[in-house]
């Protein structure tokens, strides 16, 4: 296995010994916002610990901001907070009174109005700092590399098919646009970051390269990264031509978070296969040793904002809608699905399962109904249009085959739907069907469970629910009471829907209570608080270590060494060697006696001569320690009669 140490660590340490360590700001560009506490020497163990009210810098692709046109308002828009985004909801789990700064791009409707005046207005009124990207750069970054290369690949879609089916082949120019956009985010963070105090929390795959850019500028920056998408198996991830760059970027964070153990396991496997890195699990924490730093891996799915959702469910608008839906679907068995329009949500497969259900169970015709709400697509392209066309075609065929006057088995709603109307459908439906073929988490089943529980409009209705859930969705492990299905099997999904409709009320209540207990206790505040505390824990040793940056571009990494690390100087070793009468010399073979990159591993005559010279000294006991087989080592070192050999990592000893 290749050595994980840095080749020039001794030179770095020697330079540190010859000259006093400079202050932390000597070689770094000073940020515009800096507290007095950062003047303390970062190498001193007595530097101030993490402040209780350290600022949290939340970096996401989009700012949690809504913009509605209004000619009478400043800049021609009324700006409000988008409380439905995770980036804003997580504030409920941060320490009370801690300042929070959001950094991200503007909503598309106001992106063309970006100016210093608008940025200052949003910073002063919302604590939002926009990242202003040119329209063409943002399109190549977001719609090009992120949405049509990286996002499909993270969802296990290899770019082997035409781009019309969702995936683009790797394009180096688009990757450079991705790096340029991430560098622009780093520039914005650099303007305001106080690296010794602030906690930086980066969100999702759009900003995969950002930890490297920040680590290069601020070696001691406290950086956390949470991936809201799946992390694919190493076989898939290793197909990315720039896989090392992206993996190093994640390792340049102090804390890396995933929704499920499977995603974390795939990440650890990729680190092992690409870099030879191993991990350790201690006291519930998973850590990867990377050039002297410990990168912590966290596993915890995002929850929902209980307070915000309760306010929606209890709103009069929701109650009115629930009453209307109850009356409209009176006597029907209502199932609901809410999905974004993309390749991986399995809307077409869901409609095929509904058709199969009505074929195999004629008694459900005229009673069972599936309402599918299709959220607007987040990207553009022919693949999105094809998903929409397929969903409309299948729903029309099912309705034509099984529909009757007053009965429509599949109701496809592909318009903008308010949160109150969605909550009403959740509350009115006795079953939620979620059969995505691949999804990072998907909080829809969580929201459905809370709406069924918190709804007060249907006073006499028992608190019960059933969820038909794809086993390839990130929330599946946390909802143990759901009916799990393989979404690719239309027959299995149809049978699961039938089982849900025929399930007794008592069992529905038991499953519902189990889900509600988990969802209500593991909300977004719980998730954010846990991640925030673990980020502080992962960064607690920053002040007690020396940091050196090595590498160029996306190969950059930080080497962290303890305060007592010193170079072994020849001036100290030689006198000690001469004074000693009993010496044990252990020599690793591959990488020490022989260069790691050499093809011919047979020891040269010069190596044999040096080893014999060492062995001739009666004060020396010399051993070669290797993982190689004993026969191979015995043959190579037959001329060295006094040499000891520990073969196969010490299993055989000569």
């Amino acid at each position: 296995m290749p050595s994980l140490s840095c080749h020039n660590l001794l030179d770095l340490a020697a330079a540190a010994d010859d000259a006093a360590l400079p202050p932390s700001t000597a070689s770094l560009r000073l940020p515009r916002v800096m507290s007095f506490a950062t003047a303390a020497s970062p190498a001193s163990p007595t530097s101030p610990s993490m402040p209780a009210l350290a600022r949290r810098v939340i970096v996401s692709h989009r700012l949690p901001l809504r913009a509605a046109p209004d000619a009478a308002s400043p800049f021609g828009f009324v700006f409000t907070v988008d409380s439905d985004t995770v980036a804003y909801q997580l504030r409920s789990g941060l320490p009370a009174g801690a300042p929070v700064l959001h950094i991200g791009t503007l909503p598309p409707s106001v992106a063309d109005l970006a100016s210093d005046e608008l940025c200052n207005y949003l910073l002063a009124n919302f604590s939002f700092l926009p990242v202003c990207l040119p329209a063409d750069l943002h399109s190549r970054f977001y719609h090009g590399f992120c949405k049509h290369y990286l996002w499909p690949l993270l969802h296990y879609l290899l770019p082997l098919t035409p781009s019309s089916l969702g995936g683009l082949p790797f394009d180096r120019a688009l990757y450079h646009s991705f790096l340029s956009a991430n560098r622009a985010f780093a520039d914005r963070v650099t303007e305001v970051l106080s690296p010794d105090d602030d906690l930086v929390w980066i969100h999702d795959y759009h900003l995969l390269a950002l930890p490297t850019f920040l680590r290069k500028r601020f070696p001691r920056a406290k950086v956390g990264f949470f991936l809201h998408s799946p992390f694919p198996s190493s076989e898939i991830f290793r197909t990315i031509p720039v896989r090392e760059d992206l993996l190093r970027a994640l390792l340049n964070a102090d804390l890396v978070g995933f929704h499920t153990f499977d995603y974390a396991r795939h990440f650890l496997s990729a680190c092992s296969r690409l870099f030879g890195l191993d991990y350790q699990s201690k006291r519930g924490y998973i850590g990867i040793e990377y050039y002297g730093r410990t990168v912590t891996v966290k596993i915890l799915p995002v929850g929902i904002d209980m307070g915000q959702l309760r306010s929606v469910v209890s709103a009069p608008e929701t109650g009115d809608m629930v009453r209307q839906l109850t009356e409209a679907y009176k006597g029907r068995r209502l199932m609901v699905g809410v999905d974004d329009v993309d390749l991986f949500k399995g809307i077409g497969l869901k409609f095929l399962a509904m058709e199969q259900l009505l074929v195999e169970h004629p008694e459900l015709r005229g009673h069972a109904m599936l309402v599918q709400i299709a959220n607007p697509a987040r990207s553009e392209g022919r693949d999105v249009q094809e998903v929409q066309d397929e969903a409309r075609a299948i729903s029309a065929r099912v309705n034509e085959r099984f529909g009757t006057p007053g009965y429509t088995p599949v109701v496809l709603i592909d318009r903008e739907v308010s949160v109150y109307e969605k909550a009403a459908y959740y509350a009115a439906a006795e079953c939620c069907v979620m059969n995505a073929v691949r999804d990072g988490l998907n909080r829809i089943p969580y929201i459905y469970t809370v709406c069924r529980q918190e709804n007060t409009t249907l006073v006499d209705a028992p608190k019960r629910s059933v969820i038909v859930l794809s086993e390839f969705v990130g929330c599946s492990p946390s909802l143990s009471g759901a009916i799990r299905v393989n979404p690719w099997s239309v027959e299995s999904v149809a049978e699961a829907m039938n089982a849900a409709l025929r399930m007794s009320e008592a069992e529905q209540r038991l499953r519902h209570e189990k889900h509600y207990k988990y969802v209500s206790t593991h909300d977004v505040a719980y998730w954010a608080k846990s991640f925030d505390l673990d980020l502080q824990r992962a960064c607690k040793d920053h002040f007690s270590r020396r940091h050196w940056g090595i590498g160029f571009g996306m190969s950059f990494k930080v080497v962290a060494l303890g305060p007592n690390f010193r170079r072994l100087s020849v001036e100290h070793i030689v006198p000690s060697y001469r004074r000693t009468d009993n010496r044990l010399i252990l020599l690793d073979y591959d990488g020490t006696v022989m260069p790691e990159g050499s093809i011919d591993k047979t020891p040269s005559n010069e190596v044999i001569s040096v080893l014999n010279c060492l062995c001739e000294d009666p004060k020396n006991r010399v051993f070669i320690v290797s993982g190689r087989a004993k026969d191979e080592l015995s043959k190579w070192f037959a001329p060295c009669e006094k040499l000891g050999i520990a073969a196969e990592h010490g299993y055989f000893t000569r």
Side-chain angles (χ1 to χ4, degrees):
M1 181 178 293
S3 172
L4 302 182
S5 60
C6 174
H7 294 295
N8 60 344
L9 282 187
L10 297 182
D11 296 334
L12 293 173
D17 290 340
D18 295 338
L21 282 175
S24 62
T25 58
S27 60
L28 299 176
R29 175 180 164 190
L30 280 170
R32 297 181 186 176
V33 178
M34 196 72 140
S35 66
F36 180 77
T38 59
S41 171
S44 171
T46 59
S47 297
S49 59
M50 184 70 61
L53 296 180
R55 182 174 60 173
R56 273 66 176 178
V57 181
I58 311 299
V59 190
S60 56
H61 168 233
R62 295 282 189 198
L63 287 171
L65 187 69
R66 292 193 180 104
D70 185 356
S73 300
F75 307 100
F77 285 87
V78 174
F79 294 101
T80 56
V81 169
D82 186 358
S83 58
D84 294 331
T85 60
V86 174
Y88 191 81
Q89 291 175 351
L90 64 82
R91 297 166 68 112
S92 60
L94 301 180
V100 180
L101 174 65
H102 289 268
I103 296 179
T105 60
L106 291 166
S109 57
V110 295
D112 295 336
L113 302 178
S115 63
D116 289 343
E117 292 77 12
L118 177 59
C119 293
N120 292 331
Y121 172 81
L122 295 177
L123 182 60
N125 291 274
F126 296 93
S127 194
F128 291 172
L129 185 60
V131 177
C132 303
L133 299 177
D136 58 335
L137 174 60
H138 185 269
S139 178
R140 294 194 304 270
F141 152 67
Y142 182 70
H143 296 292
F145 188 79
C146 288
K147 277 298 182 183
H148 283 93
Y149 176 75
L150 194 55
W151 183 74
L153 197 142
L154 293 176
H155 288 73
Y156 289 77
L157 178 63
L158 291 172
L160 301 174
T161 55
S163 59
S164 62
L165 299 180
L168 291 175
F170 179 79
D171 187 324
R172 183 70 61 172
L174 291 180
Y175 176 61
H176 288 163
S177 298
F178 170 78
L179 294 182
S180 297
N182 276 254
R183 190 178 295 110
F185 274 84
D187 292 340
R188 211 51 156 162
V189 175
T190 300
E191 293 177 5
V192 298
L193 186 66
S194 178
D196 289 348
D197 296 329
D198 295 344
L199 292 167
V200 182
W201 189 350
I202 304 170
H203 290 267
D204 221 2
Y205 65 96
H206 315 90
L207 305 177
L208 266 177
L210 184 55
T212 291
F213 291 120
L214 292 182
R215 188 66 65 194
K216 190 171 185 178
R217 303 178 189 191
F218 307 105
R220 287 185 177 84
K222 306 172 182 69
V223 180
F225 185 97
F226 196 93
L227 183 65
H228 294 269
S229 299
F231 193 98
S233 68
S234 61
E235 283 74 16
I236 298 292
F237 185 81
R238 285 185 294 149
T239 65
I240 303 176
V242 290
R243 58 194 186 178
E244 290 89 355
D245 293 354
L246 300 182
L247 200 58
R248 278 194 208 97
L250 287 177
L251 291 170
N252 276 325
D254 296 295
L255 176 65
V256 183
F258 301 95
H259 287 304
T260 71
F261 175 75
D262 283 344
Y263 303 161
R265 178 170 54 85
H266 295 157
F267 169 70
L268 296 172
S269 176
C271 291
S272 175
R273 289 174 177 247
L274 293 177
F275 296 145
L277 299 175
D278 201 0
Y279 70 92
Q280 290 184 344
S281 181
K282 186 177 181 181
R283 297 178 182 176
Y285 292 95
I286 300 175
I288 303 174
E289 290 298 323
Y290 185 63
Y291 288 92
R293 298 171 49 245
T294 299
V295 181
T296 304
V297 177
K298 182 173 184 59
I299 305 168
L300 185 65
V302 179
I304 60 174
D305 190 332
M306 289 294 294
Q308 188 254 357
L309 186 56
R310 281 169 174 157
S311 66
V312 171
V313 175
S314 61
E317 298 92 329
T318 303
D320 294 340
M321 285 296 304
V322 171
R323 283 186 283 270
Q324 294 175 21
L325 294 176
T326 304
E327 183 63 30
Y329 296 110
K330 189 175 182 179
R332 310 294 188 192
R333 308 295 303 277
L334 187 61
M335 296 178 287
V336 68
V338 179
D339 299 281
D340 296 339
V341 178
D342 65 53
L343 288 168
F344 303 103
K345 295 302 185 290
I347 298 177
L349 293 172
K350 189 186 302 185
F351 290 171
L352 291 176
M354 183 65 185
E355 181 181 34
Q356 186 73 15
L357 174 69
L358 297 178
V359 168
E360 295 184 354
H361 301 278
E363 69 278 7
L364 293 177
R365 300 174 189 175
H367 301 284
M369 293 184 64
L370 173 64
V371 176
Q372 176 65 47
I373 299 176
N375 294 326
R378 299 186 185 184
S379 63
E380 53 195 31
R382 290 177 56 187
D383 55 305
V384 174
Q385 186 60 48
E386 289 186 7
V387 170
Q388 293 174 330
D389 293 343
E390 178 190 49
R392 290 173 183 143
I394 298 176
S395 63
R397 187 186 73 209
V398 175
N399 291 334
E400 182 180 359
R401 182 178 180 183
F402 298 105
T404 58
Y407 170 67
T408 305
V410 177
V411 178
L412 177 60
I413 303 175
D414 54 1
R415 55 174 172 80
E416 191 78 31
V417 179
S418 68
V419 293
Y420 304 105
E421 187 175 356
K422 287 181 183 177
Y425 273 106
Y426 291 138
E430 61 182 281
C431 176
C432 176
V433 184
M434 173 62 59
N435 72 323
V437 297
R438 186 73 62 177
D439 209 348
L441 178 68
N442 203 317
R443 299 190 296 171
I444 296 300
Y446 295 169
I447 298 172
Y448 166 74
T449 300
V450 174
C451 289
R452 290 287 288 179
Q453 176 70 26
E454 302 287 341
N455 170 57
T456 57
T457 304
L458 305 176
V459 179
D460 298 330
K463 304 300 182 183
R464 56 187 177 89
S465 64
V466 186
I467 299 173
V468 176
L469 185 59
S470 165
E471 62 190 58
F472 300 115
V473 175
C475 65
S476 177
S478 58
L479 296 175
S480 58
I483 303 176
R484 295 192 180 95
V485 296
N486 176 4
W488 297 102
S489 173
V490 173
E491 293 79 8
S492 298
V493 178
E495 281 306 309
M497 296 165 72
N498 179 58
L501 295 176
R502 297 184 182 279
M503 187 178 295
S504 65
E505 287 194 8
E507 186 174 352
Q508 289 184 16
R509 282 197 297 270
L510 288 174
R511 292 173 182 256
H512 172 79
E513 289 170 1
K514 178 186 291 187
H515 292 163
Y516 182 75
K517 182 178 181 180
Y518 171 83
V519 172
S520 59
T521 55
H522 293 75
D523 60 356
V524 70
Y526 175 87
W527 168 76
K529 181 179 180 180
S530 179
F531 191 94
D532 186 74
L533 291 175
D534 283 351
L535 179 56
Q536 295 183 49
R537 177 186 175 276
C539 301
K540 63 183 176 61
D541 293 333
H542 277 18
F543 288 109
S544 63
R545 292 179 176 270
R546 298 178 178 184
H547 295 78
W548 286 275
I550 60 174
F552 298 96
M554 291 301 293
S555 297
F556 179 84
K557 60 190 74 67
V558 166
V559 178
L561 302 175
N564 298 322
F565 181 86
R566 292 293 183 271
R567 178 188 182 185
L568 290 175
S569 64
V570 176
E571 292 78 8
H572 292 148
I573 295 175
V574 172
S576 299
Y577 179 86
R578 289 173 177 169
R579 289 194 305 266
T580 306
D581 294 329
N582 190 11
R583 313 181 191 108
L584 175 62
I585 301 175
L586 304 177
L587 299 174
D588 179 41
Y589 188 71
D590 292 286
T592 303
V593 174
M594 295 297 292
E596 188 69 48
S598 64
I599 298 176
D600 184 7
K601 298 295 186 179
T602 305
S604 63
N605 292 333
E606 182 182 5
V607 170
I608 297 295
S609 175
V610 170
L611 290 175
N612 278 329
C613 183
L614 286 173
C615 294
E616 287 298 329
D617 190 333
K619 299 179 182 180
N620 290 343
R621 297 288 298 276
V622 185
F623 270 80
I624 289 290
V625 182
S626 175
R628 292 182 175 273
K630 61 181 179 65
D631 295 338
E632 186 176 34
L633 294 174
S634 297
K635 178 181 177 181
W636 285 349
F637 294 105
C640 304
E641 297 180 356
K642 297 182 180 181
L643 177 68
I645 298 177
E648 299 185 25
H649 301 293
Y651 188 79
F652 294 101
T653 305
R654 187 187 79 173

